[in-house]
Amino acid sequence: MIFFGLLGLALLAVAGYVLRGVHHLRKAKRLTAEAEAARTRRADLAVARGFLPGERLDTDHWAPVPHGHGAVLATVRSGDWRAGAAWIEAAGRDWEERRTRVQLLGTEAAEEDAWLRAWRAARPADPAAAAVDADATLTVAAHVRGGLRARAISPEQYRVSHELQARAQVLVQEAQALADPADPTPYILEQPIALGLSYPHERFRALSAEIAERDPKNLSAHVRALRYWGRTWHGSHEEAQAYAREAAALGGPGDLLSLLPLHAYFERETIEDGLDPGVYYKEPEIVAATTAALADVAAAAPGDRRVARVRHMLAWFLYWQDRYPEAVEQFRHVDGHIGTAPWTYAGDPAARYLKARDHSVDRVTPGV
């Protein structure tokens, strides 16, 4: 009798455990369904307020592609290298635009370079051709590496990538020797080589000095330098933040160098385990940097495409700071093109963007 009594108690205990498990499973399913319903409701609300649905987001570009870019690239793709050469020269001394056009042509040449080979043969002393060649070689190296960190790639991948970067270094030095002395483009192209070939600090500072001598407020160059000084590459969080503060101080209203401290703070949150973004982004110095960037954007020249890069980062910071009306304003400006940080740092950029955007819209929509 005692045995059967104990057995009954054991069976009751097992039954209770199973029932509790079933209860928790049902609760988890209910909570998941409720969360999905809330997400759908917020997404529908955002679309009703004029934002794009997720399937219409462009994850390749951070702003609309300027009119005419596609036509030039198609012409070059057909074999007309002269159109590409003329396009680069048409940028004049807008060094940010010149670097962008070199990079776009380099991406094309990484896929098919017959037109570039013809250009180089016809104009062996053309600095733009050498610059495009260098960028194309770097693009191929990046493809070989596959976006992986050094510890994750195979020895063969590392060897080929290293060889390509060394070749790009030679091409960049050729472009530097041929270029207009005022042109920072071939020096900016050397920055990713400095990352991959592990330039020591003094050599990288010398490279930065060459760029600063030619264009001290070049935003793209400063963002690239910030990567070098970050913990992921050849520095630390402290060095990156110090660099960002010093570089931002070079800018006046509308120069958009206020993006740099935001990038440094964002990189730290991305890399450092244990940081709660809901707390971290509300630190007083980060809130102050966000407010400074808002003022910088307001002072920028109309039509400055770089503003979109700052607005993307501002939207992320304002979302975490619960400054929802200001966040929604940034989302309205950039909605549709999300191919940049902070969204691209997630495995699913669109999901990250939609979560922040739709939550912000939900919080500023009364009575819903």
Side-chain angles (χ1 to χ4, degrees):
M1 293 295 294
I2 295 175
F3 169 77
F4 287 111
L6 292 174
L7 179 61
L9 289 173
L11 290 172
L12 285 173
V14 170
Y17 178 81
V18 170
L19 288 174
R20 283 196 302 274
V22 170
H23 169 74
H24 289 309
L25 181 60
R26 287 175 176 170
K27 182 178 180 181
K29 288 182 177 179
R30 185 180 73 251
L31 291 174
T32 299
E34 290 173 355
E36 180 60 24
R39 186 199 66 78
T40 301
R41 180 188 64 80
R42 287 193 295 268
D44 291 343
L45 175 62
V47 171
R49 294 296 182 270
F51 291 94
L52 290 176
E55 64 270 16
R56 291 180 57 191
L57 295 175
D58 177 353
T59 57
D60 293 326
H61 305 96
W62 48 268
V65 177
H67 178 71
H69 277 205
V72 171
L73 294 174
T75 301
V76 170
R77 206 174 296 130
S78 72
D80 185 359
W81 59 264
R82 289 177 178 81
W87 188 48
I88 290 177
E89 292 313 308
R93 295 201 166 208
D94 183 341
W95 303 126
E96 292 266 14
E97 181 63 19
R98 185 180 179 90
R99 182 206 59 81
T100 296
R101 295 182 182 190
V102 165
Q103 186 172 356
L104 288 170
L105 289 173
T107 301
E108 289 293 331
E111 297 293 331
E112 169 54 58
D113 68 350
W115 58 269
L116 177 57
R117 302 274 67 82
W119 183 4
R120 299 233 61 190
R123 297 182 185 174
D126 189 333
V132 171
D133 203 354
D135 191 83
T137 304
L138 281 171
T139 300
V140 175
H143 287 167
V144 170
R145 192 181 181 96
L148 300 173
R149 295 184 180 181
R151 64 175 178 269
I153 66 175
S154 70
E156 181 64 11
Q157 281 177 298
Y158 179 84
R159 182 188 65 78
V160 174
S161 176
H162 191 276
E163 288 177 356
L164 287 167
Q165 289 178 83
R167 169 170 164 70
Q169 185 181 51
V170 173
L171 291 167
V172 155
Q173 290 167 350
E174 178 187 353
Q176 291 166 359
L178 294 170
D180 177 341
D183 184 3
T185 304
Y187 297 92
I188 295 171
L189 291 176
E190 191 176 354
Q191 289 179 302
I193 298 170
L195 266 64
L197 298 185
S198 301
Y199 281 19
H201 287 184
E202 285 308 310
R203 183 172 182 180
F204 190 79
R205 288 191 182 98
L207 174 61
S208 296
E210 294 284 0
I211 297 169
E213 181 182 340
R214 292 162 174 81
D215 192 5
K217 298 179 182 180
N218 191 293
L219 182 60
S220 297
H222 284 301
V223 170
R224 289 184 174 198
L226 193 58
R227 292 186 67 201
Y228 175 91
W229 291 111
R231 195 179 81 179
T232 302
W233 288 96
H234 304 298
S236 64
H237 292 316
E238 293 72 23
E239 286 172 306
Q241 288 173 358
Y243 176 84
R245 286 192 296 269
E246 292 170 8
L250 298 173
D255 287 331
L256 303 178
L257 295 184
S258 58
L259 173 63
L260 301 171
L262 300 189
H263 247 299
Y265 292 129
F266 170 71
E267 290 280 355
R268 181 173 186 179
E269 184 267 317
T270 300
I271 296 168
E272 193 166 301
D273 294 333
L275 282 181
D276 179 350
V279 175
Y280 171 72
Y281 284 113
K282 293 185 179 74
E283 291 181 7
E285 68 179 79
I286 300 181
V287 172
T290 306
T291 301
L294 281 169
D296 206 5
V297 163
D304 188 339
R305 293 186 71 245
R306 301 175 306 156
V307 170
R309 297 181 67 181
V310 189
R311 289 193 187 278
H312 280 288
M313 195 64 78
L314 275 171
W316 179 252
F317 277 63
L318 293 165
Y319 158 71
W320 283 111
Q321 291 169 11
D322 303 335
R323 297 164 69 175
Y324 299 117
E326 293 165 294
V328 170
E329 180 184 359
Q330 306 310 314
F331 283 120
R332 284 211 178 275
H333 282 285
V334 302
D335 197 50
H337 301 84
I338 63 169
T340 188
W343 325 117
T344 52
Y345 277 60
D348 186 342
R352 169 177 279 197
Y353 175 83
L354 290 169
K355 180 179 179 180
R357 184 199 73 181
D358 295 352
H359 180 81
S360 299
V361 172
D362 182 58
R363 294 301 298 269
V364 299
T365 304
V368 179

